[in-house]
Amino acid sequence: MEILRTRIYERMLEEEAEKTGATRQSLIGHGERSEKIRTYNYPQNRVTDHRIGFTINRLDAIIDGKLDLVISELINEDQKRKLSSEEEIRL
């Protein structure tokens, strides 16, 4: 009975570790080039945020700390996604 209890407990631990690992992997990603978030192109003075498909030709302003240019677009995109998901829930 004790051996059975030990095996069941070990199996539960393995399942929990697999769930945690899968969740962690989905959050972290694989570090591949296709998973990049943002590209800074110095010769063309361009910044591209790949998550929302936003490109701005003001890299010098971004480097100087004027991040509002990108942050406002990220906020707008987040609000659009939240609104669209609320509309889907209503349907």
Side-chain angles (χ1 to χ4, degrees):
M1 198 62 171
E2 190 173 320
I3 294 171
L4 181 60
R5 186 178 318 131
T6 303
R7 287 184 181 170
I8 291 172
Y9 178 72
E10 287 175 356
R11 181 65 185 149
M12 289 173 51
L13 288 177
E14 287 175 11
E15 289 175 2
E16 187 65 31
E18 288 175 9
K19 287 181 190 176
T20 305
T23 303
R24 180 179 294 131
Q25 189 63 37
S26 70
L27 293 173
I28 294 173
H30 296 87
E32 297 175 7
R33 185 175 180 155
S34 63
E35 295 176 340
K36 62 186 169 186
I37 294 173
R38 208 168 287 121
T39 299
Y40 302 93
N41 188 303
Y42 292 94
Q44 296 176 356
N45 197 32
R46 184 179 70 217
V47 177
T48 302
D49 192 305
H50 300 285
R51 297 173 293 179
I52 61 173
F54 173 71
T55 299
I56 187 170
N57 291 322
R58 300 274 319 270
L59 178 61
D60 52 346
I62 301 297
I63 296 297
D64 288 339
K66 296 178 181 142
L67 300 174
D68 295 336
L69 302 169
V70 176
I71 292 173
S72 62
E73 290 296 322
L74 289 169
I75 290 171
N76 289 340
E77 183 65 25
D78 183 52
Q79 289 173 346
K80 278 194 249 181
R81 289 180 183 178
K82 285 179 181 177
L83 286 173
S84 67
S85 67
E86 286 178 9
E87 289 176 5
E88 290 177 7
I89 292 172
R90 289 182 200 160
L91 298 175

